[in-house]
Amino acid sequence: MTKQDLNWKWYDSVIAVLLIIMAVFSAIINDWMLVIVSLALLGIIILMFWKDIYVFIADYHLKRKNFDKAHSLCDKVLSKDEKCILALNEKAEILKTEKDYEKALKYCNKSIKENNAYFPTWILKSEIHDARLENEEAEKAIEKAEKIKLDFESKKLHNRILSKIYGFN
């Protein structure tokens, strides 16, 4: 399991909502032990995914052009984990939107330094170079992104074939 596999998924939101509903329902029927268990599980989920949650909220603020709040949320994550790829990418996205391409590239390069095989970073880097009218650099970045994606897809196919051959499902 890689770091990217631990990212917040849609079903994590469903689980969180169900835990809240369970806690409220348990409080109504006076089952305080179940309330405590539900809230403890919710707390564990939030502790596991706090970085993802902050980056998600930063993206929400970016889409509403609230750049200061988006920067602040990313900075909170990066102050605790300066190698968080999601926060580095979101920070680069914010800076790209503000047309501060030099700083945006700096954050992309930090992200690439942490994980050279995370293709969304390469796509973002390509977009930044394209915005700067650096067509050759943009082309190199998009080619790298395509190669990473192709490698990933071929590994996925390879694993599926092996699973069928050896009977793993």
Side-chain angles (χ1 to χ4, degrees):
M1 185 175 284
T2 65
K3 272 188 173 180
Q4 287 120 0
D5 294 333
L6 296 175
N7 293 342
W8 187 270
K9 308 281 191 292
W10 68 268
Y11 48 81
D12 295 313
S13 299
V14 172
I15 292 170
V17 168
L18 288 175
L19 285 169
I20 293 169
I21 291 169
M22 190 166 85
V24 170
F25 179 73
S26 299
I28 291 170
I29 63 170
N30 288 326
D31 187 347
W32 299 108
M33 184 56 84
L34 196 53
V35 171
I36 292 168
V37 170
S38 302
L39 293 177
L41 288 172
L42 184 62
I44 290 168
I45 290 172
I46 290 171
L47 285 174
M48 285 176 58
F49 294 109
W50 72 270
K51 293 182 226 176
D52 300 86
I53 293 168
Y54 271 53
V55 171
F56 177 80
I57 297 169
D59 190 58
Y60 171 86
H61 285 289
L62 169 62
K63 288 176 180 158
R64 280 146 189 79
K65 307 268 189 250
N66 188 354
F67 300 122
D68 291 337
K69 186 66 176 173
H71 278 295
S72 172
L73 289 162
C74 286
D75 290 341
K76 282 182 185 178
V77 173
L78 292 171
S79 72
K80 302 282 186 197
D81 180 5
E82 63 189 30
K83 298 178 179 185
C84 179
I85 294 167
L86 294 175
L88 291 167
N89 282 2
E90 188 66 23
K91 188 80 169 173
E93 187 72 46
I94 297 164
L95 292 163
K96 181 188 85 166
T97 303
E98 292 178 315
K99 298 183 184 345
D100 190 346
Y101 302 123
E102 194 65 38
K103 283 185 183 175
L105 276 175
K106 182 180 127 194
Y107 280 96
C108 273
N109 290 331
K110 281 184 183 180
S111 180
I112 288 168
K113 182 180 174 193
E114 293 307 317
N115 186 348
N116 191 30
Y118 189 58
F119 78 92
T121 307
W122 288 99
I123 292 171
L124 179 58
K125 186 172 183 173
S126 172
E127 291 170 354
I128 294 166
H129 282 301
D130 188 50
R132 291 173 59 153
L133 303 175
E134 297 169 341
N135 297 334
E136 191 173 311
E137 292 297 318
E139 189 66 33
K140 285 180 190 175
I142 202 70
E143 285 172 5
K144 178 70 174 177
E146 288 171 352
K147 182 183 180 321
I148 291 168
K149 181 127 178 149
L150 184 63
D151 288 348
F152 174 77
E153 293 298 326
S154 69
K155 285 178 186 174
K156 206 163 119 180
L157 177 62
H158 177 76
N159 289 339
R160 257 193 310 210
I161 292 169
L162 286 177
S163 292
K164 294 225 185 261
I165 291 170
Y166 293 108
F168 302 123
N169 289 332

